[in-house]
Amino acid sequence: MQTLIVFCHLRWDFVFQRPQHLLTRLAKHYKVMFVEEPVYEAGEGRMVFSQASPNLTVCQPHTPSHAPGFHDDQLPLLQPLVAELAPAGEEVLVWFYTPMALPLLQGLHPSLVIYDCMDELSAFKNPPKQLLQRESALLNIADLVFTGGPSLYEAKRTRHDNAHCFPSSVEAAHFAQALDRSNGHALQRGVPHPRLGFFGVIDERFDAGLIADIADAHPEWQVVLVGPVVKIDPAALPQRQNVHYFGQQSYQDLPQFLAGWDVCLLSFALNEATRFISPTKVLEYMAAELPIVSTAIRDVEDPYGTIVAIGRDHKQFIAHCEAALAQTPEQTSRMGASMREVVARTSWDATADRMQQLIAGTPPGGKAARLTRKSAGDNGEAGQTDAPGKINPLRASPGIPLYGSIVIGGGPTGLSAAYHVGTDNLLLERNGSVGGWCRSIQDGGFTFDHAGHIMFSNDPYVLELYDKLLGENQHWQMREAWVYSKEVYTRYPFQASLNGLPPEVIKECILGAIEARYGDGAEAPSCASQHVEDCCADGGSEAARASDTARTEKTQSFEDFIYKVWGAGIAKHFAIPYNRKLWTVPLSEMETSWLGGRVPLPNLAEIVEGALRPVPRPMGPNARFGYPKRGGFQSLMNGFLPLIRGKIELNAEVAQVLPEEHRVTLADGRRFQYEKLVSTMPLPELVKLIGDAAPPAVRQAARGLRHISIRCVNIGIARSDVTDKHWIYYPEDTIFHRIFVQGNASPECNAPGGFGFTCEISYSPLKPLPLDGEALIQRCIDDAIKVGFISADDQVLVANQIDMPVAYVVYDHQRAENVATVRTWLAGHDIHLAGRYSEWEYYNSDHAFLAGKRAAEQVTREHSRVAPRAS
């Protein structure tokens, strides 16, 4: 007989369930060695053997380590013990119930590797940190994959091309003993009827609140619970006179408990841990032909929803129990017939036989066999990986978790990448919450963002994503963007909304535009892009409206562009002072590709029209924007969290990136390996973390990338009628260049009776902050009073500061070349750049979502191309 070595997270003498049913039957064909998790014992490690049944040996490792389960600290102690289980020279079969034991495969010579995925272990309480990445590695090398139910099969079948669905089955004859209703168990003889019973493990999957509600709704009912309590505090379970806990009982005794019940309960909580479960007990209950009431577990409702009553909430569950107890004999008879028909279609014998046929029909020597031979040095191939950029999961650095991909940064780009890339991913976020610069803070009942953010996009996918992330928590409204200059408000964009400015200013602006259009220039200045976009999500594209045919001239700098597009008047009174104030660097040092669209000379008719009469509220797709009703922009970021299937680590600051080793080290000393890395952190910072491993030219290019910083001063005052505007630009003498009116983004950002706004101040080495701390806050308050935004009588309720050290990337003339140099080198080391700060691009949040999606798709494509699955 060939040896079958099984690694399991469950002990053999625990609840008798799927592993025990299958392996006792497969022991007819194989010599089964069932390896449990280790137990502590001082001294030298040893394996303790016990015979569970013919050809089935339980192997319990005893080691001097207190580490739980197949922990990394246990692996070197277990390796020699496990290696002795394989007969000399034999290629064994290896069967996994837990991916955590995967590194122990290295000491064996497997002909086939089987993964029986009976549960989604990563969704259970306190899963090991490495579980997801080890499962991905196991799925990559397994020859056969079995799943414990339809839901799990749907989740895994796209990740393996030889996956098979084997729902839990039943020993019908065993549980049919319960049909003798007089054969009750002695423990419950003193419990009155009606009895509603449950047997199974009582853990985080168990709805304790439901049991309490049942007991309270019907004190005359008796609830009988049979099974061990694990991973939860027994004291937290409901304590009632009509709730009875009988603890773990033997498999042989379960029919006797069933014989004394009137209704069987599948009282599972609806949470991540139960999302994929396929309860064995539903068929065992059916074999006893008793009424069954279940919560809305997918693998119970489909296909048994016509036989099992499904309670979608506690009230409905209790109502179904009432109906079950009131069944007529005719109803009971029809129910029994339906149950017998279901039970007759399945058995553990048939399931085990079909599995054995698949094992026998799968050619030996698959991917795992090849990898273990390489690891042992066969053919001189030790140390080789499968392909460039693909780490051999059996030879990853001991104790260091390996992920198919790691995403650095939990801002909008990183969250989008993690959402789109799938399960075998680790998202590292250095802060205590996700969101990056799209995070929000709470202060005194006010909500403030890190600078002003809005929801806006012309991309249908992003609009659908907003709905998925926020649902009904959205507030859409028409934009009110304004400019304050010359002591008056004009609509944004300035050049198309001159009405109300002093006559001499209007005159200069119109004459300047005419001179720019009909002057000596041969061509209208233009940008490289072919599509007009609203880069700032604040109506900037309205400044880029096409005009009729005109002579054009290419510009060399942003400053040159301003004069040649808008003319000297608009440049003097708005475009130059505002952009100098915002960008802090000489505008002659900036190029124009960041403007996002081909920008011909402005339409003179519109300029004149905007000077003669007030401009109406802007229309079109750019004029309407959204914002979360509640929770600030943070709630949009948080919307990703329940959708991300991979691992998320918060407070995880990256301290080092080693491209050659494909390794990331955190500031707290933890290390992770990756096959692909997606970075959303600022590009110069990433290169610094790589250090001397990057060539001098790459380090020099990264140092040449420039940015500006933003300090946000958030203020909440005791008044609710400040303004109807959403944001205001200030090109003149204020410390801030823009006020974002947070309180009008959503009224729920305001404390009761209050109103919040944010003063945004740009700074850089060329223009440092003139003040800091309380002095900076007071200067913002004084300037807000000076421009009439608030009054001197307003009471300030809260005031705080948020600093954004890297806020806007500067499009100087060297940027494109520097980015290309760094990006090219990183791409050769499986590092992808995504988002505003890694791509060093002017992105809004909707662009960031799409950038994360593109990065995830690229990683997925490369995984498929580099490591095709073995068949």
Side-chain angles (χ1 to χ4, degrees):
M1 281 185 170
Q2 190 173 13
T3 300
L4 172 61
I5 298 176
V6 180
F7 295 100
C8 191
H9 57 293
L10 301 172
R11 301 209 176 275
W12 186 266
D13 60 0
F14 191 55
V15 175
F16 199 88
Q17 52 190 306
R18 182 186 180 95
Q20 289 87 341
H21 280 296
L22 290 173
L23 296 171
T24 51
R25 288 163 171 81
L26 290 171
K28 300 174 185 176
H29 307 279
Y30 309 103
K31 178 185 176 184
V32 179
M33 309 297 287
F34 183 88
V35 182
E36 296 185 341
E37 293 182 338
V39 297
Y40 173 77
E41 181 182 275
E44 188 175 352
R46 66 190 182 102
M47 192 74 81
V48 176
F49 301 98
S50 59
Q51 201 71 26
S53 65
N55 286 333
L56 197 156
T57 303
V58 176
C59 311
Q60 187 179 81
H62 289 227
T63 72
S65 172
H66 289 283
F70 294 105
H71 189 277
D72 289 341
D73 292 347
Q74 294 279 10
L75 297 179
L77 303 173
L78 296 174
Q79 202 87 47
L81 301 179
V82 169
E84 292 180 358
L85 300 179
E90 180 183 333
E91 289 193 338
V92 298
L93 301 170
V94 182
W95 180 301
F96 290 95
Y97 277 107
T98 171
M100 290 302 295
L102 179 61
L104 296 175
L105 187 64
Q106 189 171 356
L108 303 171
H109 296 281
S111 62
L112 290 180
V113 170
I114 302 111
Y115 177 29
D116 187 13
C117 182
M118 63 180 285
D119 285 305
E120 186 63 78
L121 296 178
S122 63
F124 283 21
K125 190 174 182 179
N126 301 322
K129 292 181 180 297
Q130 308 95 324
L131 182 60
L132 281 174
Q133 64 89 10
R134 285 198 188 159
E135 185 187 54
S136 293
L138 177 54
L139 286 168
N140 190 44
I141 65 173
D143 300 286
L144 271 172
V145 173
F146 304 141
T147 69
S151 296
L152 267 178
Y153 176 69
E154 289 301 316
K156 306 299 179 185
R157 68 185 182 89
T158 59
R159 301 177 63 192
H160 199 280
D161 55 10
N162 198 14
H164 303 268
C165 182
F166 284 103
S168 293
S169 192
V170 62
E171 273 191 320
H174 178 65
F175 287 95
Q177 296 177 72
L179 295 174
D180 179 2
R181 304 303 191 210
S182 66
N183 186 28
H185 198 282
L187 283 177
Q188 61 186 13
R189 283 177 188 162
V191 177
H193 287 272
R195 298 177 191 152
L196 293 79
F198 168 92
F199 61 66
V201 180
I202 299 174
D203 56 15
E204 72 271 26
R205 298 170 294 175
F206 185 76
D207 192 342
L210 173 59
I211 297 301
D213 286 348
I214 293 171
D216 293 342
H218 287 278
E220 74 279 12
W221 292 358
Q222 307 300 313
V223 181
V224 176
L225 304 174
V226 177
V229 178
V230 299
K231 293 194 289 185
I232 60 173
D233 183 1
L237 295 172
Q239 305 298 318
R240 305 287 193 279
Q241 287 188 346
N242 59 335
V243 178
H244 309 272
Y245 297 94
F246 290 129
Q248 183 173 345
Q249 300 295 322
S250 74
Y251 177 73
Q252 299 303 319
D253 287 348
L254 295 182
Q256 290 181 283
F257 281 96
L258 280 172
W261 294 351
D262 301 290
V263 178
C264 296
L265 305 178
L266 291 170
S267 46
F268 290 106
L270 300 180
N271 54 33
E272 279 301 304
T274 61
R275 181 180 173 192
F276 297 107
I277 65 169
S278 180
T280 304
K281 60 185 62 61
V282 65
L283 292 172
E284 295 169 343
Y285 289 168
M286 283 191 189
E289 297 181 20
L290 288 167
I292 306 169
V293 182
S294 176
T295 53
I297 297 300
R298 178 180 168 187
D299 283 4
V300 175
E301 187 171 7
D302 183 12
Y304 306 127
T306 59
I307 303 173
V308 177
I310 305 297
R312 302 194 180 281
D313 55 35
H314 290 189
K315 183 178 179 180
Q316 189 180 47
F317 191 101
I318 293 169
H320 284 314
C321 292
E322 293 167 344
L325 290 170
Q327 275 187 177
T328 66
E330 293 77 11
Q331 290 173 321
T332 301
S333 177
R334 288 196 299 270
M335 177 197 73
S338 298
M339 289 180 171
R340 287 192 296 274
E341 183 180 348
V342 170
V343 170
R345 292 199 298 261
T346 182
S347 71
W348 284 116
D349 289 333
T351 298
D353 286 346
R354 177 60 183 146
M355 286 181 170
Q356 196 276 326
Q357 291 169 8
L358 287 169
I359 294 170
T362 302
K367 191 171 186 179
R370 295 195 299 272
L371 287 174
T372 51
R373 282 196 293 269
K374 288 181 182 180
S375 297
D378 293 358
N379 303 319
E381 294 178 336
Q384 297 293 321
T385 57
D386 290 349
K390 186 71 175 175
I391 296 176
N392 182 336
L394 298 179
R395 291 182 294 99
S397 300
I400 302 180
L402 167 66
Y403 290 87
S405 56
I406 291 178
V407 175
I408 299 178
T413 304
L415 289 167
S416 176
Y419 163 58
H420 287 99
V421 81
T423 56
D424 187 17
N425 181 73
L426 172 66
L427 174 64
L428 300 173
E429 167 54 45
R430 65 181 174 183
N431 295 293
S433 62
V434 298
W437 291 147
C438 290
R439 298 197 312 279
S440 306
I441 65 168
Q442 309 290 325
D443 188 358
F446 291 89
T447 299
F448 297 105
D449 296 331
H450 285 61
H453 298 292
I454 62 172
M455 293 154 53
F456 164 80
S457 184
N458 289 321
D459 191 294
Y461 181 82
V462 175
L463 296 176
E464 291 177 7
L465 192 58
Y466 289 152
D467 291 337
K468 181 176 290 188
L469 298 176
L470 287 175
E472 296 300 317
N473 187 28
Q474 300 181 60
H475 173 54
W476 289 82
Q477 55 189 314
M478 300 305 293
R479 182 191 73 240
E480 291 289 347
W482 294 76
V483 178
Y484 183 84
S485 66
K486 310 300 185 286
E487 299 184 348
V488 297
Y489 286 103
T490 57
R491 282 197 181 277
Y492 185 90
F494 179 89
Q495 67 275 6
S497 313
L498 301 175
N499 185 264
L501 291 166
E504 62 274 16
V505 173
I506 296 176
K507 176 182 176 181
E508 285 186 57
C509 291
I510 292 176
L511 287 176
I514 293 171
E515 290 171 358
R517 177 168 184 141
Y518 297 109
D520 295 334
E523 294 182 343
S526 62
C527 301
S529 176
Q530 296 180 354
H531 300 288
V532 175
E533 266 188 49
D534 189 354
C535 284
C536 305
D538 59 12
S541 66
E542 295 179 28
R545 292 176 181 167
S547 65
D548 43 284
T549 304
R551 293 173 297 167
T552 58
E553 178 182 4
K554 294 293 179 69
T555 56
Q556 299 301 315
S557 73
F558 185 30
E559 183 174 30
D560 187 27
F561 178 90
I562 288 170
Y563 281 104
K564 295 194 180 220
V565 169
W566 293 310
I570 293 171
K572 171 185 174 183
H573 294 292
F574 176 75
I576 293 294
Y578 178 77
N579 281 290
R580 282 178 178 167
K581 192 175 184 181
L582 169 64
W583 293 106
T584 78
V585 302
L587 302 184
S588 61
E589 297 179 7
M590 295 179 63
E591 45 96 351
T592 58
S593 64
W594 62 278
L595 291 173
R598 182 170 295 279
V599 185
L601 287 171
N603 188 315
L604 289 177
E606 291 181 350
I607 293 178
V608 173
E609 181 74 19
L612 292 176
R613 60 179 54 89
V615 176
R617 174 180 286 185
M619 302 300 291
N622 299 324
R624 185 171 179 266
F625 74 94
Y627 190 85
K629 290 179 184 177
R630 301 172 300 278
F633 219 68
Q634 179 79 58
S635 61
L636 179 64
M637 302 296 105
N638 289 348
F640 278 104
L641 295 179
L643 304 177
I644 292 174
R645 294 170 292 162
K647 179 77 171 176
I648 300 175
E649 288 282 355
L650 301 178
N651 298 308
E653 183 172 357
V654 176
Q656 186 182 47
V657 176
L658 299 176
E660 295 293 339
E661 292 84 352
H662 284 52
R663 183 182 302 168
V664 171
T665 302
L666 303 188
D668 61 12
R670 284 181 293 164
R671 295 178 294 170
F672 303 97
Q673 283 190 281
Y674 60 85
E675 293 174 4
K676 304 291 178 182
L677 182 70
V678 177
S679 174
T680 72
M681 68 163 54
L683 193 51
E685 184 178 337
L686 173 64
V687 175
K688 282 184 182 178
L689 297 181
I690 293 172
D692 292 343
V698 171
R699 300 199 301 272
Q700 182 178 353
R703 287 192 295 269
L705 296 172
R706 301 163 72 184
H707 69 274
I708 63 169
S709 307
I710 295 290
R711 179 69 59 85
C712 295
V713 175
N714 302 311
I715 299 169
I717 63 172
R719 179 156 61 95
S720 58
D721 58 347
V722 174
T723 182
D724 63 351
K725 299 172 175 60
H726 295 114
W727 54 92
I728 306 163
Y729 301 94
Y730 293 90
E732 297 175 346
D733 187 24
T734 56
I735 193 169
F736 44 78
H737 63 272
R738 186 172 84 152
I739 286 180
F740 179 72
V741 188
Q742 185 81 56
N744 283 341
S746 170
E748 297 201 32
C749 290
N750 293 320
F755 194 87
F757 62 94
T758 298
C759 301
E760 300 177 19
I761 309 159
S762 62
Y763 68 97
S764 73
L766 294 177
K767 179 199 161 189
L769 286 172
L771 302 162
D772 209 342
E774 291 299 321
L776 181 63
I777 292 175
Q778 189 59 50
R779 172 67 181 276
C780 287
I781 294 171
D782 293 342
D783 281 2
I785 294 171
K786 180 176 68 175
V787 298
F789 186 79
I790 60 174
S791 71
D793 296 331
D794 284 321
Q795 177 189 0
V796 175
L797 299 176
V798 299
N800 59 65
Q801 299 182 47
I802 292 174
D803 193 53
M804 302 168 64
V806 181
Y808 293 102
V809 303
V810 173
Y811 275 66
D812 61 20
H813 299 288
Q814 294 77 42
R815 183 203 67 90
E817 182 179 350
N818 286 335
V819 171
T821 298
V822 179
R823 179 192 288 273
T824 300
W825 183 80
L826 292 173
H829 292 78
D830 298 304
I831 299 177
H832 298 272
L833 305 178
R836 172 185 284 203
Y837 301 113
S838 264
E839 295 183 67
W840 217 246
E841 294 277 3
Y842 197 127
Y843 279 169
N844 300 321
S845 59
D846 65 324
H847 300 141
F849 290 158
L850 294 173
K853 181 174 182 285
R854 288 194 302 271
E857 291 169 346
Q858 179 65 22
V859 166
T860 301
R861 282 194 300 270
E862 291 185 4
H863 274 311
S864 299
R865 184 169 61 247
V866 169
R869 195 174 303 284
S871 59

